């Protein structure tokens, strides 16, 4: 399946080599760049940072116009596949994981970047690895992501609830919260990938430093029936069965889950560190945004990972289209926004999470309490998990696990059947 997809994309690439999305008017030296983004909110978080850098670049380069097309995550991925066939915009958001990057690079739609250009860009050690294929660099990471439970500290204090230290504590806390007619954890189960991140988080707490090898071996063999994998899946299902997530979580999307939490109807929200910007978002009531805190997945009985072994990875980033008619300008823009005092600094100042570059020099002491807390979590970590399980295999595996995981959580699919199905997807 992977080879067929790559062949289709390669043929489509040849057919569209002369159809660049960007354009250049040689008479006036006017250049138009098209940027395809998954940040639809241009007033907060990464969208705010992205737009600020675009505006600065156009001001410094008045001959350049940058047009943005922004779609929500799942719509973005669907449109990205279409663009792979029809011709890519000049600059695109990508993910530095094998399940996404391998097919795209093999199809030839991304431009190779010069690694030497980024020696002084302060990228964290290892952060470029996910964007490197066969020794060549095809993109740049823009985030360091940590799996988190965001929680309403005031709500916890008012009700005498404690941050859970163990997984059993988490499930017991969920029962106490339900007694108040409040949702314990808002979960985006409709999209599939957040549940996969949750599963990976639990698996890491069980396996510790063996996590990456266990997952890579399972993908290679197409066999996910190890005792650890079964235990992690069952523990995830136990959480759903215990009512830890909201009713209908398996069909509700990112926005619905986040709204439950930011409107005070859920005590916690499971999501990545890219949402630390909630503490700066003026659209969220002050009584809630000022009280948002975070903790990582609690430890699991007999698990190999400690409280400071956390689920973290380098997530999304940017790449340039191989067939852009204005490729040089696109790479120039990419290099501009990744200057250490640009993306990394602005992202920190906006409270939009952590970049893949060293941000220590930009800490002012005026950061939100949530921001400081997440930095402490990362700085005090003793090990990081690496790529979430759904992004560790071929595209067919990613599609399978993200579409099947709701079934095993809601009980419509047995644990053994789920593990068999995702294993078979690795063999296609």
């Amino acid at each position: 399946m992977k080879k067929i997809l790559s062949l289709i994309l390669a043929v489509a690439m040849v057919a569209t080599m002369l159809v660049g999305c960007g354009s250049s008017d040689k008479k006036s030296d006017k250049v138009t760049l098209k940027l395809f983004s998954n940040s639809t909110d241009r007033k907060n978080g990464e969208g705010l940072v992205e737009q600020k850098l675009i505006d600065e670049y156009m001001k410094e380069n008045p001959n350049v116009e940058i047009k943005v097309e922004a779609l929500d995550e799942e719509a973005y991925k669907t449109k990205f596949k279409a663009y792979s066939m029809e011709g890519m915009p000049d600059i695109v958001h990508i993910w530095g994981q094998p399940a996404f990057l391998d097919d795209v690079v093999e199809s030839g739609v991304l431009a190779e970047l010069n690694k030497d250009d980024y020696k002084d860009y302060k990228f964290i050690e290892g952060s470029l690895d996910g964007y490197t294929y066969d020794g060549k660099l095809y993109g740049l990471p823009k985030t360091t992501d940590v799996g988190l439970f965001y929680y309403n500290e005031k709500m916890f204090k008012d009700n005498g609830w404690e941050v859970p230290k163990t997984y059993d504590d988490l499930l017991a806390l969920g029962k106490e919260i339900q007694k108040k007619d409040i949702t314990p954890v808002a979960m985006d189960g409709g999209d599939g990938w957040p549940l996969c991140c949750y599963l990976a988080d639990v698996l890491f707490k069980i396996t510790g430093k063996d996590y990456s090898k266990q997952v890579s071996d399972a993908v290679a063999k197409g066999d996910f029936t190890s005792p650890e994998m079964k235990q992690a899946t069952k523990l995830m299902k136990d959480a759903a069965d215990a009512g830890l997530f909201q009713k209908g979580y398996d069909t509700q999307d990112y926005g619905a889950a986040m709204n439950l939490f930011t409107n005070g109807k859920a005590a916690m929200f499971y999501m990545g560190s890219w949402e630390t910007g909630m503490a700066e978002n003026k659209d969220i009531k002050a009584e809630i945004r000022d009280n948002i805190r975070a903790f990582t997945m609690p430890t699991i009985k007999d698990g190999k990972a400690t409280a400071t072994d956390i689920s973290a990875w380098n997530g999304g980033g940017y790449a340039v289209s191989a067939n852009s008619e204005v490729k040089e300008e696109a790479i120039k823009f990419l290099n501009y926004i990744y200057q250490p005092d640009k993306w990394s600094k602005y992202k920190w100042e906006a409270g939009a999470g952590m970049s893949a570059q060293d941000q220590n020099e930009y800490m002012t002491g005026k950061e939100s309490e949530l921001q400081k807390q997440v930095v402490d979590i990362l700085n005090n970590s003793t090990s990081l998990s690496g790529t979430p399980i759904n992004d560790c295999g071929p595209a067919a595996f990613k599609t399978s696990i993200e579409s099947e995981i709701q079934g095993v959580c809601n009980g419509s699919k047995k644990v053994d059947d789920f593990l068999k199905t995702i294993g078979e997807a690795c063999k296609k």
Side-chain angles (χ1 to χ4, degrees):
M1 180 67 182
K2 183 176 179 180
K3 292 181 179 178
I4 293 173
L5 175 59
S6 296
L7 179 61
I8 292 172
L9 291 177
V11 171
M13 178 198 71
V14 174
T16 58
M17 282 184 74
L18 299 178
V19 189
C21 280
S23 62
S24 175
D25 183 340
K26 293 184 179 180
K27 291 183 179 180
S28 63
D29 289 327
K30 183 72 175 179
V31 176
T32 300
L33 292 176
K34 291 188 177 181
L35 186 150
F36 188 32
S37 171
N38 70 334
S39 297
T40 54
D41 184 353
R42 315 303 288 182
K43 296 180 180 179
N44 298 287
E46 288 193 352
L48 170 67
V49 177
E50 188 177 82
Q51 192 59 54
K52 181 177 180 179
L53 287 165
I54 288 170
D55 292 342
E56 284 189 3
Y57 189 81
M58 289 193 295
K59 184 176 181 180
E60 293 180 24
N61 300 271
N63 65 310
V64 178
E65 179 183 11
I66 300 175
K67 295 182 178 180
V68 178
E69 178 184 6
L71 297 175
D72 288 328
E73 194 95 343
E74 295 309 308
Y76 180 91
K77 292 175 182 177
T78 300
K79 189 69 175 286
F80 188 96
K81 292 177 183 177
Y83 275 139
S84 295
M85 307 289 282
E86 301 165 0
M88 283 283 183
D90 306 293
I91 302 144
V92 294
H93 174 93
I94 62 170
W95 288 269
Q97 292 108 19
F100 180 89
L101 194 71
D102 287 7
D103 279 355
V104 178
V105 170
E106 288 172 8
S107 70
V109 298
L110 298 184
E112 181 185 350
L113 302 175
N114 184 358
K115 283 186 176 181
D116 291 338
D117 287 348
Y118 310 106
K119 287 182 177 179
D120 299 323
Y121 276 55
K122 300 183 180 180
F123 280 102
I124 296 169
E125 184 176 355
S127 62
L128 297 180
D129 292 352
Y131 295 80
T132 302
Y133 183 86
D134 199 21
K136 298 178 180 179
L137 184 66
Y138 290 93
L140 299 174
K142 59 180 181 177
T143 63
T144 296
D145 298 330
V146 180
L148 297 170
F149 286 90
Y150 292 98
Y151 72 100
N152 186 321
E153 184 180 50
K154 184 177 186 301
M155 185 185 291
F156 267 53
K157 287 182 178 179
D158 289 348
N159 289 281
W161 300 329
E162 298 287 338
V163 171
K165 294 182 178 179
T166 69
Y167 199 78
D168 288 339
D169 290 343
L170 176 64
L171 299 189
L173 173 62
K175 291 293 186 184
E176 290 300 311
I177 294 173
Q178 288 178 69
K179 291 177 182 178
K180 299 286 187 177
D181 291 326
I182 299 171
T183 292
V185 177
M187 170 63 75
D188 169 13
D191 291 324
W193 63 265
L195 283 171
C196 291
C197 290
Y198 186 99
L199 175 62
D201 212 341
V202 173
L203 181 62
F204 180 58
K205 286 298 183 184
I206 295 169
T207 59
K209 64 181 181 180
D210 296 328
Y211 166 83
S212 294
K213 186 177 187 303
Q214 171 131 174
V215 173
S216 61
D217 286 350
V219 169
K221 297 174 183 176
D223 183 359
F224 286 82
T225 60
S226 70
E228 295 86 353
M229 192 69 214
K230 286 186 178 182
Q231 182 188 3
T233 306
K234 186 178 182 302
L235 286 174
M236 177 182 65
K237 186 179 183 306
D238 287 346
D241 289 346
L244 193 68
F245 312 137
Q246 75 271 24
K247 292 181 180 178
Y249 71 92
D250 51 342
T251 60
Q252 293 177 11
D253 64 12
Y254 197 125
M258 188 172 179
N259 285 338
L260 271 178
F261 178 67
T262 56
N263 287 320
K265 295 181 180 179
M268 294 174 277
F269 175 40
Y270 184 80
M271 194 46 68
S273 55
W274 54 85
E275 286 297 353
T276 53
M278 287 188 291
E280 306 289 336
N281 189 343
K282 302 303 181 183
D283 292 333
I284 300 172
K285 292 180 181 178
E287 63 188 72
I288 292 176
R289 71 168 184 266
D290 292 344
N291 288 287
I292 299 175
R293 301 292 184 270
F295 63 90
T296 56
M297 181 67 72
T299 58
I300 291 172
K301 184 179 180 181
D302 298 325
K304 295 180 179 179
T306 68
T308 54
D309 297 322
I310 64 173
S311 180
W313 62 96
N314 294 113
Y318 293 108
V320 171
S321 169
N323 300 315
S324 169
E325 291 184 350
V326 287
K327 188 191 303 183
E328 287 187 11
E329 191 68 46
I331 293 176
K332 180 183 172 185
F333 170 71
L334 193 70
N335 293 354
Y336 173 87
I337 65 175
Y338 275 103
Q339 291 175 24
D341 63 345
K342 296 295 183 183
W343 174 267
S344 189
K345 180 176 185 288
Y346 294 175
K347 183 179 174 72
W348 183 252
E349 291 174 344
M354 293 168 287
S355 78
Q357 296 162 277
D358 186 352
Q359 292 176 297
N360 285 331
E361 66 183 287
Y362 305 123
M363 293 188 68
T364 64
K366 297 180 181 179
E367 291 81 10
S368 70
E369 290 303 313
L370 176 61
Q371 216 175 355
K372 294 175 186 176
Q373 187 181 31
V374 174
V375 169
D376 285 343
I377 287 172
L378 188 60
N379 287 343
N380 294 327
S381 63
T382 47
S383 71
L384 310 179
S385 66
T387 305
I389 188 171
N390 52 313
D391 287 317
C392 288
F397 167 70
K398 179 179 176 67
T399 298
S400 178
I401 191 172
E402 290 183 3
S403 60
E404 298 289 339
I405 198 164
Q406 294 95 341
V408 74
C409 284
N410 64 28
S412 62
K413 197 174 189 74
K414 294 181 179 178
V415 170
D416 287 344
D417 291 340
F418 165 72
L419 297 176
K420 180 181 179 181
T421 298
I422 64 174
E424 289 174 348
C426 293
K427 303 174 183 178
K428 294 179 180 179

